[in-house]
Amino acid sequence: MTAPAPVAGTPARRRRVSLTTRTVLVAVVVAVLAAAVAFAVSFPLVRASGEAQARASLARLADLTATSLQQLPSGVTVLPPRLAAVLEVEGVEAYLVRPGFPAPDGVTDADVLGLAAGQPVSTVADTPDGTVLVEGRPLGNSTGLVLLQQASVATEPSGTVLRRLAVALLIGLVFAVVVAVLASRRVTRPLRRAAEAANQLSTGRRDVRVEPEGPEEVAAIAESLNGLSAALAVSEGRQREFLLSVSHELRTPLTAVSGYAEALADGVVPETEVPRTGEVIRAEAARLDRLVADLLDLARLGAADFRVDLVDLDLALLAGEAAAVWADRCEREGVLLRVEQPGTPVPARTDPVRVRQVLDNLAENALRVTPAGRPIVLAVRTEGPWAVVEVRDGGPGLTGDDVGVAFEPGALYERYRGVRPVGTGLGLALVGRLAVGLGGGAEAGAAPEGGARFTVRVPGAPVAP
């Protein structure tokens, strides 16, 4: 089976290096650098220490040899056998020198003259066979004892120490890699679980929960995913209920239109009832049109094609026009409509059609829940850079939880369906999004009249001279 080809126009997913691999690579690089720095620092120190110890050891052998020489009756100077064996094991060559006689390689005439004058010699010299350590001791009678040792032989112990150090660093490097692999797997395990949970969320599961573990930042990711899962479940539940409520609201006028239309088609409606039947069909059609318009506005808000025509206007004048329309409806329902205006213009730069849409939705929502004899207040005012329109009612009001979800589609409808008169759940959602689309915002709260308060702010405009 071949892998599916990428869809045209979509970039192919680039293979990424895992966090475990990156952590191990970083740990290896750090360990290698640390080992290299440690070896680079240790190498000259060990070599210098080894050379100093070799020269000190050769100097002690020179002192011992100078005091241990034996002269036979024949005038020949010899070394004790045990001392000769030690020198042979250490790779040391012993010579007697005096002025006028050839000196071994590595011993200069100045060294010979110094020994003849009774001065000891301690130096390093280059010979055809390599670098040698030179230790000389005066013996008297213009004679001197010279010990020569190859530097490579003398510093062999330091080389052994360096090799052991390199092995130890290599073992430490391997151990660091193993620890890095184990540690990275332990650290990334919660991240892998979080990624798996996110994939499950993307497939539609909403019962996903990740146990917070690991470092604080990783645990925070798990907690955020848990919160996201719960929020998605709540949001989808609200959307589902919202769609159910909208479908119910659409079905009701459709049923009425369909029923009356069939009655007209079948000729069962008396001629005297035809105008009333037509009026019912027209009203239900208008209701359907309003529902569809609200749905379209909700869908378009925030999109590129949502149009807002900003003009400078007097919000008090616009509110007065709306109050004149709603006064008649409030009077028929026995509700008292009161208008609060500052007596001066309330300049705003906004879209009058959208603001009127906000006012009508808020007024209709307030009229639906306000009992007869209670007031509805339509207020406008200026607050700093904002022009404010506010609708308050004397209805049952909102709880603290209601205020938080008042502008979410269908939220209040689902809570109070069958408890109090409710609409489709579209009106307040449309108000909240329109307010944001106009450059302001909306908020809900408690009204002094005992019911709910809905406040909408839009940008103000400079006062005309």
Side-chain angles (χ1 to χ4, degrees), residues 402-448:
D402 294 339
V403 170
V405 297
F407 299 103
E408 294 186 14
L412 296 183
Y413 173 87
E414 177 59 27
R415 290 189 179 188
Y416 294 109
R417 182 176 54 182
V419 178
R420 65 174 69 164
V422 292
T424 61
L426 294 175
L428 289 179
L430 189 58
V431 167
R433 297 186 186 182
L434 279 174
V436 175
L438 293 172
E443 65 178 27

Side-chain angles (χ1 to χ4, degrees), residues 375-395:
I376 292 178
V377 179
L378 176 58
V380 291
R381 61 182 180 273
T382 299
E383 291 183 358
W386 302 105
V388 179
V389 58
E390 185 174 81
V391 175
R392 306 192 302 267
D393 62 65

Side-chain angles (χ1 to χ4, degrees), residues 18-43:
S18 66
L19 180 59
T20 300
T21 302
R22 294 190 179 192
T23 304
V24 173
L25 290 177
V26 170
V28 170
V29 171
V30 172
V32 169
L33 291 177
V37 171
F39 190 79
V41 172
S42 302
F43 182 81

